[in-house]
Amino acid sequence: MYDVLIVGGGAAGFYTAIHIAEALPAAKIAILERGKEVLTKVRISGGGRCNVTHAEFNPSELSKNYPRGEKELLGPFHQYASGDTVGFFESRGVALKIEDDGRMFPQSDSSQTIINCFLSEAERLGIEVKTLCSVTGLVQEESDEGAYWNVLVTSGNLKAKQLVLATGSNPKIWKLIKDLGHTIIPPVPSLFTFNIKDERIANIPGVSTYAEVEVLPKRKQGKIVAKNKLNTLLSTDGPLLITHWGMSGPAILKLSAWGARVLEQYGYQFKIQVNWVPEYHQNGLLELFMQVKQVEKKTVLRTKVLEIPKRLWVNLVRAAHIADEITWPEVSKQQLMALAEQLTKGVYQVNGKSTFKEEFVTAGGLDLKEVNFKNFQSKLLPNLFFAGEIINVDAITGGFNFQNAWTGGYLAAKGVVDNMGHKK
């Protein structure tokens, strides 16, 4: 009989196990991992550098980065947040650094540093790590000493007084906890890039600029389809990256996270409106152009009057049907109005999505109403805890999904320790 079994050998699983083992050195603890290797998502995170967390140390501001889970995580972040994560790693010899955009990485710039930290801690604390150990069933049983979990695995069964599920977006585990009476919110992709074929961006991959992006609501016979409160959230701003297949970058990824459910309803076929110069609206930009027209003699194409990448300016001038040789004195007000529209209200058709790097994040999972966020314990079943993306929490890119794993893992560990203490 194990004191604690943790299903899932990822970030949340190891973090939970380490905190339990530190508090209860005599406890018999094992991590069960279905794959050949543990911590595979940690390895590929942040392009192999591991984006550990984000330098947002205010709990209420931190929680705003979670399209699903914002309200629920506010309390937990007051208990354990980014500063605590930094402390955890630094006390174990892993120094972190903050990049300009707030993302935090190990100073080594290698995810292997984080993996080594977890593996050495697990070894030091006597935590068993069982790989190629797939869970096929979960049964709560009674004994003279009270309820315990019978965990069916590929090679037989294991018993535990306390059970922590930290399996991420794993449909098989979701089905097992649904069979136990829990509610699962169907998963849909989050954090993806937009596939767009459009002459205005076709030949300029790699161009990046700050932009405002809005998803236009779908209309059917004059009525807006899927009009819900999310629609009001479907606009954002930030760096936008033009790619070979369309658009990416923080602005697009934020939209994909906040709009995960609506964009799935749209079948990933929808239109976006882009303002490439967020400091201007169409009429204000037209006024600026009319002033430039009075003083500038060169061609419109060769006079970039705004802070946007040159190649993008050239494409948008051509999209406004202004010929390459047309000078500012020659250009008509109608043409300049068309250019102002291309710059502030350009509409682009999105046809499908692509996964962002190798990192796959889903919106969906265990219904948040069924989790006690003081200790991440099930509200329906005793001695059952959750940590990480198994619950219906997901974040925008930037280290926030990992912070959910660290916070959930820490509080679940605390809950397990409290339960074990009550039994002694």
Side-chain angles (χ1 to χ4, degrees):
M1 173 83 71
Y2 284 89
D3 290 304
V4 191
L5 282 176
I6 293 158
V7 184
F14 269 83
Y15 212 72
T16 309
I18 288 165
H19 280 98
I20 297 169
E22 287 208 303
L24 299 171
K28 192 179 179 194
I29 303 165
I31 294 172
L32 313 182
E33 167 56 45
R34 64 179 172 161
K36 272 192 289 193
E37 282 185 38
V38 292
L39 300 162
T40 49
K41 207 166 178 183
V42 171
R43 188 179 302 285
I44 61 170
S45 149
R49 296 195 298 142
C50 190
N51 184 184
V52 175
T53 185
H54 202 93
E56 176 51 78
F57 303 105
N58 177 329
S60 50
E61 289 302 313
L62 181 60
S63 67
K64 287 177 185 168
N65 295 285
Y66 296 82
R68 282 143 294 271
E70 177 179 354
K71 180 166 67 61
E72 290 80 3
L73 288 176
L74 185 55
F77 284 154
H78 275 98
Q79 298 295 312
Y80 197 93
S82 311
D84 302 291
T85 301
V86 175
F88 171 87
F89 285 108
E90 293 197 334
S91 69
R92 287 158 179 81
V94 178
L96 303 181
K97 60 176 180 179
I98 304 172
E99 305 221 323
D100 291 346
D101 57 6
R103 292 181 304 160
M104 296 191 74
F105 293 89
Q107 279 187 0
S108 65
D109 272 333
S110 169
S111 56
Q112 194 60 46
T113 307
I114 304 298
I115 293 169
N116 291 347
C117 170
F118 284 150
L119 293 177
S120 65
E121 282 294 276
E123 192 176 346
R124 176 179 76 84
L125 294 162
I127 298 163
E128 281 183 58
V129 179
K130 296 175 177 287
T131 53
L132 294 172
C133 186
S134 219
V135 171
T136 56
L138 298 171
V139 186
Q140 195 157 47
E141 297 182 354
E142 286 289 334
S143 74
D144 295 342
E145 294 178 24
Y148 69 91
W149 285 97
N150 192 0
V151 180
L152 311 179
V153 294
T154 30
S155 55
N157 69 318
L158 301 164
K159 293 173 181 176
K161 296 170 188 169
Q162 311 283 325
L163 181 64
V164 181
L165 299 180
T167 46
S169 307
N170 182 333
K172 286 181 181 166
I173 301 295
W174 279 334
K175 185 180 183 311
L176 293 181
I177 54 175
K178 190 177 180 184
D179 292 346
L180 290 169
H182 271 292
T183 308
I184 302 299
I185 309 298
V188 298
S190 178
L191 283 193
F192 48 84
T193 61
F194 294 174
N195 295 351
I196 301 169
K197 277 192 163 43
D198 192 294
E199 283 298 307
R200 291 167 289 179
I201 59 169
N203 57 347
I204 54 170
V207 165
S208 177
T209 189
Y210 201 91
E212 263 175 15
V213 191
E214 182 179 354
V215 174
L216 298 177
K218 286 208 168 181
R219 293 174 184 275
K220 192 174 182 182
Q221 298 166 354
K223 292 178 185 168
I224 293 176
V225 177
K227 177 72 174 166
N228 58 31
K229 63 177 184 174
L230 260 183
N231 264 19
T232 59
L233 291 173
L234 292 195
S235 69
T236 187
D237 61 291
L240 187 156
L241 174 68
I242 294 167
T243 67
H244 287 286
W245 59 88
M247 293 181 190
S248 184
I252 297 298
L253 294 168
K254 268 195 279 186
L255 263 193
S256 74
W258 286 102
R261 295 258 162 224
V262 169
L263 301 183
E264 195 256 350
Q265 286 170 25
Y266 287 174
Y268 307 106
Q269 308 286 322
F270 54 94
K271 289 186 169 74
I272 56 170
Q273 183 174 286
V274 181
N275 184 349
W276 298 103
V277 279
E279 61 272 29
Y280 289 99
H281 52 75
Q282 191 177 351
N283 292 341
L285 199 51
L286 180 60
E287 280 178 32
L288 173 71
F289 288 161
M290 295 308 286
Q291 289 167 14
V292 174
K293 183 174 161 63
Q294 303 304 315
V295 295
E296 185 55 72
K297 301 287 184 273
K298 287 190 284 204
T299 64
V300 177
L301 193 79
R302 290 181 58 198
T303 319
K304 180 170 75 80
V305 296
L306 298 161
E307 284 298 312
I308 69 166
K310 176 77 176 166
R311 291 190 293 163
L312 180 61
W313 169 263
V314 167
N315 280 10
L316 296 180
V317 168
R318 288 171 177 162
H321 304 295
I322 298 171
D324 292 7
E325 64 279 4
I326 288 204
T327 62
W328 281 94
E330 296 167 332
V331 71
S332 71
K333 185 176 180 181
Q334 280 72 22
Q335 286 173 310
L336 289 177
M337 198 180 288
L339 178 55
E341 186 171 344
Q342 286 291 348
L343 282 154
T344 59
K345 288 185 174 176
V347 174
Y348 297 80
Q349 175 67 45
V350 177
N351 291 308
K353 59 179 173 50
S354 296
T355 303
F356 173 60
K357 297 186 179 167
E358 307 97 329
E359 296 171 47
F360 188 66
V361 175
T362 56
L366 176 63
D367 193 331
L368 302 179
K369 293 189 198 76
E370 298 172 0
V371 180
N372 176 351
F373 280 91
K374 288 190 170 68
N375 56 9
F376 284 71
Q377 187 166 204
S378 164
K379 285 183 179 177
L380 309 187
L381 298 158
N383 309 332
L384 176 62
F385 296 81
F386 308 100
E389 285 177 41
I390 186 170
I391 61 176
N392 184 23
V393 166
D394 63 287
I396 62 172
T397 183
F400 300 106
N401 279 303
F402 271 139
Q403 187 55 52
N404 168 47
W406 313 139
T407 297
Y410 173 81
L411 289 174
K414 215 161 164 284
V416 167
V417 170
D418 286 348
N419 272 8
M420 303 272 286
H422 295 156
K423 294 206 165 161
K424 283 177 182 171

